[in-house]
Amino acid sequence: MIAIGIGGNSLATERDFRDAIESARRELGGGDAVATLATASFAPRAEAAAKEASVPFRPLMLIALRERSGDCVTRSERSLSLYGINSIAEAAALFAAGPGSQLVMPRRIIGNITVAAARSVDIGKRPK
């Protein structure tokens, strides 16, 4: 399973989110879910874009993103100052992909959008 984490700023439009999701899915050869911080101001636009792309949307609570913040490989000073998370996109992808998941696409900035992706670990290969 590949989860796409997404973030954006106040200028990001629904089309920006849709374009970023499509770009990530093309590069990854798919994407099974789109996830982001549920309380972010941009979350409704991300949800609408995921729905338009026929990809399930996973709104996540801040505490969930904080669980995976230490596994992020990039760092957004804005995300750190506002939410205490290294990267909303990376942490959302990692949490949505499940325990032991790993980034397959670190955070990228596409205009007003950040996007990252994580792959689930096969059940038989999960660390114990």
Side-chain angles (χ1 to χ4, degrees):
M1 193 274 256
I2 296 174
I4 299 169
I6 201 156
N9 64 33
S10 62
L11 300 175
T13 66
E14 185 178 318
R15 181 183 174 106
D16 293 333
F17 283 100
R18 187 181 68 241
D19 291 348
I21 292 167
E22 289 174 3
S23 175
R25 291 183 81 205
R26 266 193 314 274
E27 182 175 332
L28 298 162
D32 303 297
V34 172
T36 197
L37 177 61
T39 58
S41 61
F42 58 78
R45 289 173 291 198
E47 181 176 15
K51 183 177 181 179
E52 188 174 327
S54 299
V55 181
F57 180 71
R58 298 265 326 266
L60 303 172
M61 300 307 296
L62 183 58
I63 193 165
L65 298 183
R66 286 186 176 153
E67 281 183 31
R68 295 304 302 264
S69 182
D71 298 318
C72 296
V73 297
T74 69
R75 186 170 131 160
S76 162
E77 294 302 324
R78 184 161 167 46
S79 291
L80 269 173
S81 68
L82 290 174
Y83 305 107
I85 302 167
N86 285 323
S87 165
I88 288 175
E90 288 182 3
L94 286 162
F95 189 88
S101 60
Q102 296 186 347
L103 288 172
V104 291
M105 187 174 82
R107 177 178 62 106
R108 296 192 182 151
I109 299 169
I110 303 173
N112 296 308
I113 304 295
T114 59
V115 65
R119 183 181 307 276
S120 295
V121 174
D122 291 337
I123 292 174
K125 296 181 180 178
R126 282 194 181 151
K128 296 184 185 209

